[in-house]
Amino acid sequence: MSAFRMYLRVVSESLQPEQISARLGTGPDEATAIGSRRRSQSPPRAHATWIRHVPAPAGPGRPEDLEPVILGWGPAFAAALGRLAASGDADVSLVVVQELTDPEDPQQKGIFLSPALLAWLAEAGASLDVDQYVYCDCDEQGDRDPCGSVSP
């Protein structure tokens, strides 16, 4: 399993997913509508979410391995996202999720984004959201645990 995954997220308080799709000229991999509920007892959502996943190619699935997928979506899609973001009708972000399970594995460390990807994100009017999660068993007997922090 890869330590990284990415997805493009569009959030709007005024547009439903179908309207976002129409403005972008393509549909999402998943979406939630304004007014929908997570569970029947949950309050209605105040915003719509439109998500396109970045599928991992064969290999480790590091951010630099996922970049060609995003760049392959092309400049026209980035421009459409940029127009949507500039309109104020939606916020666009690239979400990078990092799950660190082995602090000694160099494939799980670091996030590198190329100038080409940063230019694509700028054209898309997208922010970058990095979510990091560390899962490890800490050794409370030693001076340092496997995660690298000092034990009490």
Side-chain angles (χ1 to χ4, degrees):
M1 183 172 134
S2 175
F4 296 92
R5 66 184 193 283
M6 293 176 150
Y7 58 93
L8 181 73
R9 178 177 58 205
V10 178
V11 177
S12 178
E13 293 180 357
S14 61
L15 300 173
Q16 291 288 14
E18 301 80 23
Q19 295 169 301
I20 295 170
S21 293
R23 302 258 300 258
L24 297 178
T26 188
D29 292 325
E30 67 179 85
T32 59
I34 297 169
S36 65
R37 297 173 187 266
R38 203 164 292 192
R39 292 178 294 281
S40 60
Q41 66 272 27
S42 298
R45 288 185 168 92
H47 61 272
T49 304
W50 186 103
I51 291 176
R52 176 175 276 187
H53 296 283
V54 181
R62 290 194 40 79
E64 54 268 29
D65 300 320
L66 299 172
E67 278 189 22
V69 174
I70 298 167
L71 296 175
W73 292 341
F77 183 54
L81 287 163
R83 287 189 298 276
L84 181 59
S87 74
D89 290 333
D91 293 315
V92 178
S93 61
L94 178 67
V95 181
V96 178
V97 180
Q98 178 184 23
E99 294 182 349
L100 183 61
T101 57
D102 180 0
E104 301 304 319
D105 181 0
Q107 290 296 315
Q108 293 186 23
K109 295 180 183 176
I111 297 173
F112 173 80
L113 303 177
S114 73
L117 180 61
L118 294 175
W120 193 94
L121 292 174
E123 178 69 24
S127 62
L128 179 64
D129 179 1
V130 178
D131 294 339
Q132 297 175 307
Y133 304 94
V134 178
Y135 304 105
C136 65
D137 295 325
C138 295
D139 177 14
E140 294 182 21
Q141 303 301 318
D143 291 337
R144 294 204 169 264
D145 67 34
C147 299
S149 64
V150 176
S151 297

